[in-house]
Amino acid sequence: MASNNDEKQSGSSGGGGFFSSIASSLSNLGSVMSKSVNGMLGYEGLEVVNPEGGNEDAGAEAQRGRWKAEDRDNYWKMMQKYIGADVTSLVTLPVIICEPMTNLQKMAELMEYAHLLDLADECEDPHMRLVYSASWFISVYNALQRTWKPFNPILGETYELVNHAGITFIAEQVSHHPPMGAAHAENEHFIYDITSKVKTKFLGNSVEVYPLGRSRLTLKKSGVVLDLVPPPTKVHNLIFGRTWIDSPGEMILTNLTTGDKVLLYFQPCGWFGAGRYEVDGYVYNSEEEPKILMTGKWNESLSYQPCDLEGEPLPGSTMKEVWRAADAPKNDKFQYTYFAHKINSFDTAPKKLLASDSRLRPDRYALEKGDLSKASSEKSRLEERQRADRRTREAKGDEFKPKWFNLSNEVCPTPWGDLEVYEYNGKYHEHRAAIDSSDHAEEADVKTTEFNPWQYEDSVASA
């Protein structure tokens, strides 16, 4: 994680300029407040962070949150043994903290503001292309601030998205240990590919999440290829207090074709919420000279303005807004946007939906309908069926192979470890073309279509 000074040094020479006073004032506020909750037997060292108040509020904040007191206490005792560990695959979490969406669907939320990529593709200015593209990548953080946990996808599970901005989107869970998903999205303006994997560090009442994924964006008109390195994320108050998310650090978007790049710094949340959500930085040319400054809040809006070599706004130029978060439903139970609701609906599903699609998961659907008991039992049943499928595969000496993605020979280095890259194999487009040309394609119905990502139809979960 870079400091404000690191951010200025990593850009062009003299990169302080317009944002130096902002960065300085925020850094003087210090990092986010925290306090051990003392006087509670068995909770020594517990960190509770209230982003809206001082450290004297930690004790009261610890009693808040969505957990029942007895569940919270029991979970704290159970989870203490995992402190310092990567809990990505170690812990099964209860439905009470879940949202009715899977990680594959969460990947599709990036498509909400895809019009920004249409603008990037049509733009002749290479630096404005980066403004539009970087804003698109920033826009998904508005959805990621939700504190509910999405369901972990079953191995072989998929998610399809159509009927939005001319996009064809397919995602698939390609690995279970470690959990990995791959996705491909495309319309007439862009191609987007991602291999998604995370590494975590559990800290007791918080968890640090490091994105090991690889994201590649190709703009079709210019042919440029963009590569993203996002900042890490920290989830605060997992068990005690109200859960909230922060992503302090650098986001780097590099034009692999020209060497131009965007470097944006996500400010850490300071005392009484100072700096929370704020992001600022520059578009640089291949000579690492600042060309355009960008600033805003990742949960609200982003703006840009041309700048000189010192990072100062050009005389006579004005700040222009490039992205603004769409209005969201009021008092939504899961803080969903209108687009998030569309992702769960069949309005964004193609004809003859794959039976492995996330929408068809009975645990997800039960939670969406408010039946926590059924959601919990269905989640357990699916997880046991997944274990049975694995046992059958091992007994047969078979190796799981994804349908829509192939494991490539490429190993991609990231700041947090190496990543095996999955490539889209093109078969989904062939599959969809055959379905769309058929006169017998039927609409999928959650009430009649059984969720089926299984490799072996005859694998039966043990009692």
Side-chain angles (χ1 to χ4, degrees), residues 127-409:
H127 303 123
M128 277 305 300
R129 283 194 205 117
L130 287 176
V131 170
Y132 290 125
S133 300
S135 299
W136 180 67
F137 278 112
I138 290 286
S139 71
V140 76
Y141 283 86
N142 183 49
L144 294 180
Q145 69 178 314
R146 296 198 305 267
T147 58
W148 302 93
K149 182 190 178 300
F151 285 96
N152 290 332
I154 298 294
L155 184 63
E157 183 175 328
T158 58
Y159 178 75
E160 302 174 81
L161 174 72
V162 296
N163 303 325
H164 173 70
I167 295 168
T168 298
F169 177 97
I170 177 67
E172 182 177 11
Q173 189 73 357
V174 296
S175 173
H176 181 56
H177 289 296
M180 295 176 65
H184 174 87
E186 186 172 352
N187 73 358
E188 63 178 322
H189 292 287
F190 71 88
I191 299 171
Y192 172 68
D193 287 284
I194 181 173
T195 299
S196 178
K197 178 184 177 183
V198 298
K199 180 180 180 181
T200 63
K201 184 177 182 181
F202 181 63
L203 302 176
N205 198 36
S206 63
V207 63
E208 294 176 346
V209 182
Y210 305 98
L212 273 70
R214 191 192 77 165
S215 296
R216 289 285 169 85
L217 174 65
T218 301
L219 300 177
K220 289 185 174 181
K221 184 177 180 180
S222 63
V224 300
V225 179
L226 309 180
D227 178 80
L228 177 75
V229 178
T233 292
K234 187 171 183 178
V235 184
H236 297 270
N237 299 353
L238 281 174
I239 304 171
F240 291 83
R242 293 166 296 179
T243 306
W244 62 282
I245 295 173
D246 201 18
S247 295
E250 291 180 345
M251 187 191 90
I252 303 172
L253 181 64
T254 303
N255 185 331
L256 300 179
T257 308
T258 66
D260 299 342
K261 69 178 180 180
V262 182
L263 194 154
L264 297 174
Y265 184 69
F266 287 58
Q267 299 287 353
C269 179
W271 288 95
F272 300 100
R276 189 179 182 190
Y277 308 118
E278 292 184 11
V279 57
D280 54 63
Y282 297 92
V283 176
Y284 297 90
N285 64 15
S286 59
E287 302 299 320
E288 297 194 348
E289 298 169 334
K291 303 301 291 184
I292 301 175
L293 62 87
M294 298 181 67
T295 185
K297 292 186 176 183
W298 51 259
N299 70 328
E300 190 174 291
S301 66
L302 285 171
S303 298
Y304 69 94
Q305 189 171 4
C307 65
D308 61 22
L309 294 181
E310 298 300 318
E312 299 288 352
L314 288 178
S317 67
T318 58
M319 186 76 70
K320 295 182 180 179
E321 187 174 274
V322 63
W323 166 77
R324 176 167 292 275
D327 292 337
K330 302 294 184 183
N331 302 316
D332 191 86
K333 180 178 180 180
F334 295 103
Q335 296 88 50
Y336 273 9
T337 62
Y338 289 109
F339 187 70
H341 282 291
K342 284 185 178 180
I343 281 177
N344 265 338
S345 79
F346 286 85
D347 294 338
T348 53
K351 294 185 295 183
K352 202 170 183 180
L353 186 70
L354 293 170
S356 50
D357 193 88
S358 298
R359 296 175 184 84
L360 302 173
R361 282 183 61 145
D363 52 355
R364 187 214 64 77
Y365 186 68
L367 182 60
E368 184 178 42
K369 297 302 180 183
D371 191 338
L372 267 67
S373 177
K374 184 175 182 180
S376 181
S377 63
E378 290 290 352
K379 179 174 178 288
S380 296
R381 184 179 67 84
L382 291 178
E383 289 168 349
E384 180 52 41
R385 177 68 186 269
Q386 180 170 228
R387 288 188 284 268
D389 205 59
R390 186 192 68 234
R391 289 193 294 268
T392 303
R393 186 167 55 250
E394 291 174 349
K396 292 177 177 287
D398 291 342
E399 182 178 333
F400 175 80
K401 292 183 179 180
K403 290 184 178 180
W404 314 114
F405 298 85
N406 296 334
L407 179 61
S408 71
N409 294 323

Side-chain angles (χ1 to χ4, degrees), residues 426-440:
K427 293 180 180 178
Y428 178 76
H429 277 78
E430 297 173 6
H431 164 80
R432 185 48 54 200
I435 294 296
D436 291 342
S437 63
S438 172
D439 295 330
H440 304 289

Side-chain angles (χ1 to χ4, degrees), residues 90-109:
L90 292 178
V91 182
T92 299
L93 297 172
V95 167
I96 190 175
I97 66 169
C98 291
E99 63 176 333
M101 183 181 288
T102 72
N103 275 321
L104 298 181
Q105 294 173 280
K106 201 90 168 180
M107 292 166 69
E109 284 201 75

